[in-house]
C-alpha cells in the first residue's frame, strides 16, 4: 500500500471550540472518533476522501509562529475575511498581492496562522 496523507493535527487549548471554528469555515462536520474524550476533536475521518483535521489539547500555550499552516481557497478574499472574523478568528494585518492572486494571513481563535487565498482565474 502506498503512503497517504491522512490528516493534520493541531495542538490547542480547547479542541471543541477550535474544531467548531474550522468546521464552520471549511463546511466539514465534526466526527466522534474519540468518544467522550474532551482532549480531542476531529473533522472528517480516516476513510474520507480529504485528509481529516484533529485537534489535540496540550497544556502549553502557542508562543511563536507556527512553521506549518493551512491555505484555505476562497472565491472572494473580502468575504472570506468577514467569515473568519464572524466565526471568532482575525486578520493578522498581513496581505500579499501577487499576479496570480491574493493571500491574507489569518488567525484562528487560538492564534494559529492560516492563509486565505483567492486565485485570479
Amino acid at each position: 500500500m502506498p503512503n497517504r496523507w491522512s490528516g493534520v493535527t493541531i495542538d490547542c487549548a480547547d479542541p471543541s471550540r477550535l474544531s467548531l471554528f474550522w468546521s464552520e469555515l471549511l463546511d466539514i462536520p465534526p466526527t466522534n472518533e474519540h468518544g467522550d474524550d474532551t482532549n480531542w476533536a476531529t473533522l472528517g475521518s480516516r476513510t474520507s476522501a480529504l485528509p481529516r483535521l484533529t485537534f489535540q489539547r496540550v497544556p502549553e500555550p502557542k508562543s511563536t509562529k507556527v512553521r506549518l499552516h493551512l491555505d484555505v481557497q476562497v472565491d472572494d478574499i473580502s468575504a472570506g475575511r468577514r467569515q473568519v472574523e464572524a466565526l471568532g478568528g482575525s486578520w493578522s494585518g498581513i496581505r500579499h498581492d501577487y499576479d496570480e492572486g491574493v493571500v491574507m494571513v489569518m488567525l484562528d481563535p487560538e492564534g494559529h496562522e492560516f492563509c486565505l487565498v483567492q486565485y485570479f482565474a
Side-chain angles (χ1 to χ4, degrees):
M1 180 169 101
N3 295 336
R4 294 181 311 229
W5 175 32
S6 66
V8 173
T9 299
I10 298 172
D11 291 350
C12 60
D14 188 344
S16 178
R17 177 176 177 238
L18 211 54
S19 69
L20 291 175
F21 169 86
W22 285 99
S23 175
E24 289 292 321
L25 183 63
L26 299 175
D27 195 26
I28 301 172
T31 56
N32 192 18
E33 290 190 358
H34 304 285
D36 294 332
D37 188 345
T38 60
N39 291 312
W40 297 89
T42 300
L43 306 180
S45 73
R46 288 177 284 180
T47 60
S48 297
L50 295 174
R52 67 187 175 160
L53 281 177
T54 300
F55 303 88
Q56 172 184 358
R57 185 182 314 275
V58 296
E60 65 277 353
K62 178 185 170 301
S63 61
T64 63
K65 183 179 184 299
V66 177
R67 302 288 294 191
L68 174 87
H69 67 266
L70 302 179
D71 288 345
V72 177
Q73 184 176 346
V74 295
D75 292 330
D76 180 288
I77 199 78
S78 296
R81 176 183 170 183
R82 286 191 300 273
Q83 180 187 21
V84 168
E85 291 171 341
L87 294 171
S90 60
W91 178 40
S92 71
I94 300 170
R95 175 184 169 129
H96 302 282
D97 291 275
Y98 301 106
D99 290 341
E100 62 271 13
V102 179
V103 176
M104 291 182 79
V105 179
M106 306 301 291
L107 305 170
D108 73 13
E110 290 198 11
H112 298 104
E113 298 87 0
F114 67 98
C115 290
L116 290 182
V117 182
Q118 178 186 348
Y119 295 106
F120 301 140

